[in-house]
Amino acid sequence: MSGSNARSNAIRAITSYKPDLAPLNYADTKPTEIYGSNVFSDKVMKERLPRIVYKSLRKTIEQGVQLDPSLADIVASTMKDWAIEKGATHFTHVFYPLTGHSAEKHDGFLSPDGNGGVITEFSGKMLSQGEADGSSFPSGGLRSTFEARGYTAWDVTSPAYLMENSSGIVLCIPTAFLSWTGVALDRKTPLLRSNQALNKQASRILKLFGKKTSLPIISYSGLEQEFFLIDRNFVFGRPDLLTAGRTLFGAKPAKGQEFEDQYYGVMPRRVMSCITEAERELYKLGVPVRTHHNEVAPSQYEIAPVFETANLAIDHNQLMMTVLKKVAKRHGLHCLLHEKPFSGINGSGKHLNYSIGNAEVGTLFEPGETPHENAMFLVFLVAAIRGLHKYGGLLRATVAAASNDHRLGANEAPPAIMSMFLGDQLTDILEQFRVGQVRGSKGKRLMNVGVDTLPPLPADPGDRNRTSPFAFTGNRFEFRALGSSMPASASQTALNTIMSDSLDYAATRLEKLSGGDPEKLHAAVGKLIQEIVEEHSAVIFNGDGYSEIWHQEAERRGLPNYRTTPEALMVYTSPDVVDLYSRYNVLSRQELKARQEIYIEQYCKTIRAEANLVIRMGRTIIYPAGLRFQQELLRACLDMRALNREPDTVLLDDIDDTLRKLREGLEHLENNVDMKIEDPVQEAHHKCTVVIPAMNAIRTLADHLETIVPEDLWPLPSYQEMLFVK
Ligand code: ADP
Ligand code: MG
């Protein structure tokens, strides 16, 4: 099929599209019945498990107490019966290797009984621990030192669930993935470790303030997910979208997003049914999806659940990405989770709303009603300021990937400089502490307060800032630099760990300053705030994060600006990060080094694959299209000459010139893409500074061709079609 045929076929398929799925019916089956119906939830456990087993399991879930292994058999057999009743035939440990995807290996419940029949089998051991061949997953040099075998260990805090596929139902058990010597090979293990560190340090602060709780302090995460939905037919005509998840070519459409008529607009019907069906699937899995809306770019959407404990929210986000992709297909759509599928059009992010606390104490980033509560709030707030100032580079590193480099700093997503938006009122109050004269809250009546009677704080900072990577939004921080396709675990782990470090520092300092005397606590808090603001306020910035002035100002303030992934990834093994992660037992030097190696390798692989695709598409699709037009123009010139008329050759010259440069560009890229470079860091640098610019140069030429080659000769679906034909 020639390219232009593929295009017109795609458009015909879309315009004659008829949904073959009946609309969802919530009248017969209520959403409340569907919600969590595929989860081995607290309710199911309570109903089915013997009381004593249930209680013990709850204790493990809530307090992180180790599960009595003798109970695992009972839990497993109950879980199996429940799953089989619901139609499951297989089970799997789901784990989260460093590839960024989740991994599964399905195992049947059936075992031969020796008499030609079968029995179902699922023991406590099969539930709690599985063996996974670690050698098929990236381990960044850990494999040579350790055994290739890895094992998966049940994460009791994330409930098991049933995944429905067209071919059957599988019981899925979320797990951590480790080597036999206990080295973390996944994204979940460090997150769980960082939660423990956070609990320990945050509890010290609560204790100082006399705040009692029977539950551990945990971190929460509310993850807003952006994505694109375009018609599937276009994707088959775009090898770049199909394999790289983004367009490597494509001229800007005549109409882009400049009218801002898409944001919060009415969703097209097909998109609406796709998203509501995805939500229904997510309801079944107990994912508390709450909002959906049109995003800024054409064909871009967002879906967001209610926040949950971080570990669960992050597992649920992985499920959300899987479900969106799967359900989109059923509606003839393709879900693009890539950070920048269309150049020149807004990319997609994933906002991580971060807070800490528990069901008893609420969120600790929430200003309180009394001066005493506010004092505690301010301690948590300045701890975050100190943490971001000291370890902003680490947070930046957790969002480093080839795909996110197209977004960060491109005037739509926050810049690569990590700064904090606090709003004017809080900034003003902190400044009052710094100069040692606390008067009160700006815009409110002035209060005569010393450092030991703190001013009432604004419950809502009021102003909103969308250009800051890390914004305080009243009772949480919103981290906006995460890419849409990325698991949120590494960022959440970093946030937990830098908070642990700062709370540790604050607790030790307050203990020293107050000498353990509660009467002296408020004065100590005043001093602590003063010190931290004095030393770390450079990280606070309430202005426009997109502006050039900020880039200069940030540099003057000494804030790191890692513009590209290879630069940012170096932070993982910097002495202060190694020290930080080792002190709180989150990741050892060796584990950090392994991660760095894996991410560098992934970066190189991504760029290499994209560059090869550019070469292939350039040679077999784009160059030939230009050549065809060149032939038409030549024929027209010859015809003119035959009639003794002087042809206008301006366009022909342009085509000649562009095609020649295109051919040269492709040769240059080909010479560079596979250049042997031994050191992976050097290779990443080369990819970043030589290969990417070479790809971009080719793209510019190709996109120019697209604007002059006749429509019927152009083989690739255009931006116009992909983004606006729905
Ligand atoms: P926005 O105004 O940024 O679109 P929303 O009100 O839709 O924000 O909330 C975004 C996300 O923040 C949701 O997932 C929400 O549940 C979550 N969120 C709200 N409060 C908290 C909190 N205390 N901690 C973590 N996440 C929270
Ligand atoms: Mg938001």
Side-chain angles (χ1 to χ4, degrees):
M1 197 196 299
S2 87
S4 47
N5 267 344
R7 285 175 60 196
S8 50
N9 285 351
I11 293 172
R12 202 166 317 124
I14 296 162
T15 44
S16 61
Y17 174 82
K18 295 236 164 25
D20 57 352
L21 305 153
L24 300 182
N25 177 351
Y26 279 122
D28 294 344
T29 325
K30 301 284 177 224
T32 42
E33 271 170 59
I34 295 171
Y35 190 83
S37 58
N38 280 349
V39 184
F40 192 68
S41 60
D42 183 62
K43 185 161 163 272
V44 177
M45 290 194 277
K46 199 168 185 174
E47 274 165 19
R48 295 186 172 233
L49 288 173
R51 220 180 120 69
I52 175 152
V53 179
Y54 170 75
K55 280 192 120 174
S56 165
L57 195 58
R58 269 314 320 159
K59 209 166 161 190
T60 304
I61 294 168
E62 274 163 21
Q63 317 214 339
V65 186
Q66 210 162 32
L67 183 72
D68 178 352
S70 68
L71 302 180
D73 274 330
I74 303 170
V75 179
S77 103
T78 311
M79 202 186 270
K80 179 198 71 182
D81 291 346
W82 169 81
I84 289 177
E85 268 171 44
K86 295 195 128 276
T89 52
H90 289 70
F91 71 92
T92 181
H93 279 195
V94 179
F95 54 105
Y96 309 88
L98 297 169
T99 54
H101 305 287
S102 39
E104 312 181 345
K105 179 183 155 224
H106 297 181
D107 238 316
F109 281 125
L110 299 186
S111 282
D113 67 357
N115 297 313
V118 284
I119 49 160
T120 58
E121 201 190 17
F122 188 55
S123 65
K125 178 137 193 317
M126 289 154 99
L127 164 66
S128 311
Q129 195 167 307
E131 204 173 313
D133 183 3
S135 63
S136 351
F137 294 100
S139 64
L142 291 173
R143 205 176 303 138
S144 51
T145 350
F146 298 95
E147 276 189 86
R149 282 184 314 158
Y151 74 95
T152 52
W154 181 28
D155 168 18
V156 188
T157 57
S158 185
Y161 57 91
L162 298 172
M163 197 56 154
E164 294 177 32
N165 298 304
S166 47
S167 49
I169 298 175
V170 181
L171 170 67
C172 298
I173 300 145
T175 58
F177 178 40
L178 301 112
S179 80
W180 286 101
T181 44
V183 173
L185 298 174
D186 69 346
R187 296 170 178 268
K188 190 189 262 287
T189 306
L191 174 63
L192 297 175
R193 292 175 182 163
S194 72
N195 272 333
Q196 285 183 2
L198 180 70
N199 174 38
K200 198 165 158 197
Q201 301 306 331
S203 299
R204 286 176 63 198
I205 303 287
L206 293 192
K207 194 160 165 244
L208 278 168
F209 281 86
K211 186 109 183 159
K212 294 207 167 52
T213 173
S214 62
L215 300 172
I217 299 299
I218 47 177
S219 65
Y220 292 103
S221 190
L223 294 160
E224 305 166 52
Q225 177 72 48
E226 293 178 348
F227 55 95
F228 281 81
L229 285 174
I230 64 165
D231 193 276
R232 273 189 97 194
N233 291 292
F234 289 132
V235 179
F236 301 127
R238 300 269 336 197
D240 45 0
L241 275 185
L242 199 62
T243 48
R246 75 172 179 110
T247 53
L248 298 167
F249 300 100
K252 256 196 161 157
K255 174 186 184 256
Q257 62 187 58
E258 58 275 16
F259 293 102
E260 295 178 341
D261 47 358
Q262 146 90 5
Y263 196 45
Y264 282 12
V266 179
M267 279 188 182
R269 211 179 118 218
R270 184 152 55 124
V271 168
M272 191 71 191
S273 32
C274 170
I275 292 182
T276 42
E277 194 189 328
E279 286 175 338
R280 189 178 138 110
E281 291 303 312
L282 291 165
Y283 285 163
K284 289 187 199 164
L285 296 166
V287 181
V289 275
R290 177 82 167 259
T291 59
H292 57 231
H293 63 81
N294 272 9
E295 260 303 326
V296 176
S299 289
Q300 192 188 29
Y301 310 95
E302 178 186 299
I303 166 168
V306 176
F307 70 100
E308 299 178 276
T309 61
N311 183 31
L312 198 54
I314 290 167
D315 287 358
H316 279 168
N317 178 256
Q318 295 281 116
L319 276 178
M320 180 184 277
M321 293 195 283
T322 308
V323 166
L324 279 171
K325 284 211 156 272
K326 201 163 74 178
V327 173
K329 269 191 205 156
R330 282 191 225 146
H331 294 262
L333 296 166
H334 185 83
C335 175
L336 292 164
L337 291 166
H338 194 283
E339 281 71 9
K340 194 74 176 179
F342 303 100
S343 150
I345 303 283
N346 259 34
S348 300
K350 177 168 352 215
H351 292 176
L352 191 175
N353 290 271
Y354 177 82
S355 68
I356 60 183
N358 68 29
E360 282 171 8
V361 301
T363 154
L364 296 166
F365 288 133
E366 176 133 11
E369 309 266 306
T370 63
H372 189 64
E373 282 171 352
N374 278 340
M376 190 167 84
F377 158 73
L378 287 170
V379 171
F380 282 96
L381 186 76
V382 294
I385 294 171
R386 176 182 178 274
L388 190 68
H389 188 229
K390 286 194 74 167
Y391 301 107
L394 166 64
L395 200 57
R396 162 68 181 99
T398 64
V399 296
S403 55
N404 213 19
D405 278 0
H406 300 286
R407 225 183 117 245
L408 293 183
N411 267 13
E412 47 156 298
I417 309 159
M418 294 298 121
S419 66
M420 182 186 288
F421 169 81
L422 269 188
D424 291 340
Q425 286 179 316
L426 278 176
T427 308
D428 176 56
I429 286 173
L430 293 181
E431 179 59 18
Q432 292 176 31
F433 274 99
R434 194 185 64 79
V435 298
Q437 271 191 338
V438 183
R439 300 179 315 274
S441 177
K442 194 180 175 182
K444 308 218 166 167
R445 74 197 156 92
L446 284 186
M447 307 213 23
N448 181 18
V449 281
V451 275
D452 50 341
T453 45
L454 296 159
L457 300 172
D460 185 339
D463 30 4
R464 276 267 191 178
N465 179 313
R466 298 244 160 236
T467 65
S468 172
F470 201 69
F472 184 67
T473 56
N475 63 355
R476 61 186 187 269
F477 284 98
E478 185 169 336
F479 178 51
R480 304 199 180 108
L482 203 62
S484 49
S485 71
M486 302 177 152
S489 15
S491 302
Q492 185 90 21
T493 302
L495 287 170
N496 284 345
T497 314
I498 63 185
M499 278 307 291
S500 302
D501 172 67
S502 277
L503 293 171
D504 184 352
Y505 171 84
T508 306
R509 191 83 189 108
L510 290 176
E511 282 156 9
K512 182 152 184 282
L513 287 170
S514 70
D517 178 356
E519 298 283 307
K520 294 194 179 139
L521 183 63
H522 281 194
V525 169
K527 182 91 175 67
L528 176 81
I529 296 172
Q530 184 179 35
E531 288 171 0
I532 289 185
V533 174
E534 184 70 47
E535 203 176 332
H536 300 290
S537 63
V539 80
I540 300 168
F541 177 64
N542 295 327
D544 179 3
Y546 296 170
S547 65
E548 189 44 45
I549 299 170
W550 168 233
H551 280 72
Q552 294 159 12
E553 166 71 11
E555 198 178 328
R556 203 181 54 73
R557 294 192 193 180
L559 299 179
N561 183 5
Y562 302 113
R563 283 164 214 270
T564 64
T565 295
E567 280 176 79
L569 288 178
M570 292 302 107
V571 177
Y572 269 119
T573 48
S574 66
D576 54 339
V577 167
V578 171
D579 169 62
L580 173 78
Y581 272 14
S582 332
R583 260 189 295 128
Y584 297 98
N585 293 321
V586 172
L587 287 168
S588 66
R589 174 195 298 278
Q590 196 173 29
E591 287 170 322
L592 281 165
K593 179 98 187 83
R595 261 149 233 261
Q596 184 183 54
E597 270 175 37
I598 291 163
Y599 300 148
I600 288 174
E601 194 181 303
Q602 277 166 358
Y603 176 82
C604 291
K605 273 190 187 158
T606 306
I607 307 289
R608 193 181 309 126
E610 287 185 349
N612 281 324
L613 205 51
V614 164
I615 295 169
R616 179 64 61 86
M617 287 175 74
R619 291 238 160 95
T620 64
I621 300 178
I622 290 164
Y623 190 85
L627 207 59
R628 280 184 198 130
F629 184 39
Q630 189 187 40
Q631 278 163 358
E632 271 192 17
L633 289 172
L634 275 171
R635 230 175 290 129
C637 288
L638 288 176
D639 288 353
M640 292 279 274
R641 287 248 159 83
L643 294 174
N644 274 332
R645 298 172 64 166
E646 195 48 39
D648 175 354
T649 59
V650 174
L651 194 52
L652 185 60
D653 294 342
D654 186 358
I655 284 276
D656 288 350
D657 185 48
T658 310
L659 284 179
R660 186 180 35 78
K661 285 187 185 146
L662 183 63
R663 183 189 46 75
E664 287 166 1
L666 288 164
E667 275 162 20
H668 170 65
L669 181 58
E670 193 163 50
N671 290 335
N672 274 287
V673 65
D674 282 325
M675 190 175 278
K676 270 266 154 293
I677 298 173
E678 285 305 321
D679 178 16
V681 175
Q682 288 305 319
E683 186 187 340
H685 189 68
H686 178 260
K687 291 275 183 300
C688 185
T689 53
V690 178
V691 175
I692 292 179
M695 287 164 66
N696 291 342
I698 292 171
R699 179 179 186 142
T700 306
L701 295 164
D703 291 357
H704 173 60
L705 278 182
E706 187 179 341
T707 62
I708 53 174
V709 168
E711 171 99 356
D712 60 321
L713 291 182
W714 193 254
L716 295 169
S718 67
Y719 270 30
Q720 192 81 40
E721 291 159 345
M722 290 186 286
L723 292 167
F724 293 100
V725 181
K726 296 173 193 172

